[in-house]
Amino acid sequence: NAGVTQTPKFQVLKTGQSMTLQCAQDMNHNSMYWYRQDPGMGLRLIYYSASEGTTDKGEVPNGYNVSRLNKREFSLRLESAAPSQTSVYFCASSVSRRSNQPQHFGDGTRLSIL
Amino acid sequence: SQQGEEDPQALSIQEGENATMNCSYKTSINNLQWYRQNSGRGLVHLILIRSNEREKHSGRLRVTLDTSKKSSSLLITASRAADTASYFCATDQTGANNLFFGTGTRLTVIP
């Protein structure tokens, strides 16, 4: 009963390196999301995918790209990492984008950029 | 910022006591959700209250919503050590496509 699985759990990068964060859900959810969590800031939405084949920008999309590979998988890519992208990244999914649907979260990827 | 704000930022109580945390927001909403986050883990959905509801219960949780004051409160009754976590409110704002999360209340329940 995995729910939302994120890999890797931890990563250290040097400035300018690229990386892809992976997310997969086994709940047959249509919608998926990427958030970042910074101290004192709460969670902020980076990108979301309302359904397979669609992606849209959230509140803080600059410096990131996403791919909705199939219904299960939604990846987040940092093309040229910057220290300001040091954060904890969470993937979430929900049955749909309808407002009464709760979101289910993975346990996060802790990313440090030196 | 469209984020909500929780109050207090941190709360420490004895096991068996009640814990109350508050959330304030700035715009009209469709609903408000509360989530819990244990240390090092992802968020877990607790309860959703719609804009036309004033109070909702789920087990030891009681949520109130006052849309005129743009605020909500989460009450945890008879707290347990396992309730130690951070609690976040998230608002589904009218006309927006996203949930906006608050900054969280860190609750510590002392056995």
Side-chain angles (χ1 to χ4, degrees), chain B residues 5-76:
Chain B
E5 290 187 10
E6 278 93 339
D7 171 61
Q9 290 187 332
L11 178 62
S12 183
I13 60 173
Q14 296 289 331
E15 199 165 34
E17 293 180 337
N18 295 341
T20 299
M21 52 206 86
N22 305 294
C23 170
S24 60
Y25 57 92
K26 297 179 181 178
T27 66
S28 61
I29 61 171
N30 299 313
N31 64 64
L32 186 145
Q33 304 177 30
W34 284 92
Y35 287 79
R36 184 188 74 231
Q37 183 180 32
N38 290 89
S39 182
R41 303 297 300 272
L43 280 70
V44 175
H45 182 262
L46 295 176
I47 195 166
L48 179 152
I49 186 165
R50 292 183 172 79
S51 60
N52 60 354
E53 297 176 311
R54 292 297 168 258
E55 185 171 316
K56 201 163 184 179
H57 297 254
S58 177
R60 294 185 296 113
L61 305 180
R62 172 177 169 254
V63 170
T64 61
L65 179 64
D66 187 335
T67 53
S68 67
K69 295 182 179 178
K70 293 186 169 58
S71 67
S72 174
S73 66
L74 172 67
L75 168 68
I76 304 173

Side-chain angles (χ1 to χ4, degrees), chain A residues 33 35 37 40-45 48 57-59 90 97-108 110, chain B residues 1-3 30-31 33 35 37 39-45 48 50 88 92 96-103:
Chain A
Y33 314 83
Y35 293 90
Q37 184 177 35
M41 296 290 290
L43 274 77
R44 291 181 292 169
L45 183 66
Y48 66 94
K57 295 178 180 179
E59 189 180 356
F90 287 97
R97 286 276 294 157
R98 289 177 60 185
S99 64
N100 62 347
Q101 299 296 323
Q103 294 185 13
H104 300 257
F105 285 79
D107 283 339
R110 283 143 187 84
Chain B
S1 169
Q2 294 175 287
Q3 289 182 312
N30 299 313
N31 64 64
Q33 304 177 30
Y35 287 79
Q37 183 180 32
S39 182
R41 303 297 300 272
L43 280 70
V44 175
H45 182 262
L48 179 152
R50 292 183 172 79
F88 295 87
D92 181 354
N97 289 321
N98 311 323
L99 278 182
F100 291 92
F101 286 83
T103 51

Side-chain angles (χ1 to χ4, degrees), chain A:
Chain A
N1 195 14
V4 179
T5 302
Q6 293 184 236
T7 56
K9 295 188 186 305
F10 303 92
Q11 186 70 46
V12 179
L13 294 178
K14 294 181 179 178
T15 298
Q17 287 186 317
S18 62
M19 170 155 194
T20 300
L21 280 59
Q22 306 288 352
C23 174
Q25 52 91 9
D26 62 3
M27 295 174 284
N28 201 35
H29 285 172
N30 289 300
S31 301
M32 298 184 73
Y33 314 83
W34 276 105
Y35 293 90
R36 59 179 289 172
Q37 184 177 35
D38 301 295
M41 296 290 290
L43 274 77
R44 291 181 292 169
L45 183 66
I46 304 170
Y47 270 94
Y48 66 94
S49 171
S51 61
E52 187 179 355
T54 69
T55 61
D56 285 286
K57 295 178 180 179
E59 189 180 356
V60 288
N62 291 344
Y64 305 95
N65 286 300
V66 292
S67 296
R68 183 76 182 265
L69 304 171
N70 48 54
K71 191 171 185 179
R72 291 185 63 248
E73 298 173 289
F74 188 37
S75 63
L76 178 72
R77 183 163 179 84
L78 287 69
E79 290 290 353
S80 179
S84 61
Q85 295 177 305
T86 293
S87 189
V88 183
Y89 291 86
F90 287 97
C91 177
S93 69
S94 64
V95 171
S96 71
R97 286 276 294 157
R98 289 177 60 185
S99 64
N100 62 347
Q101 299 296 323
Q103 294 185 13
H104 300 257
F105 285 79
D107 283 339
T109 294
R110 283 143 187 84
L111 183 61
S112 293
I113 300 166
L114 306 177

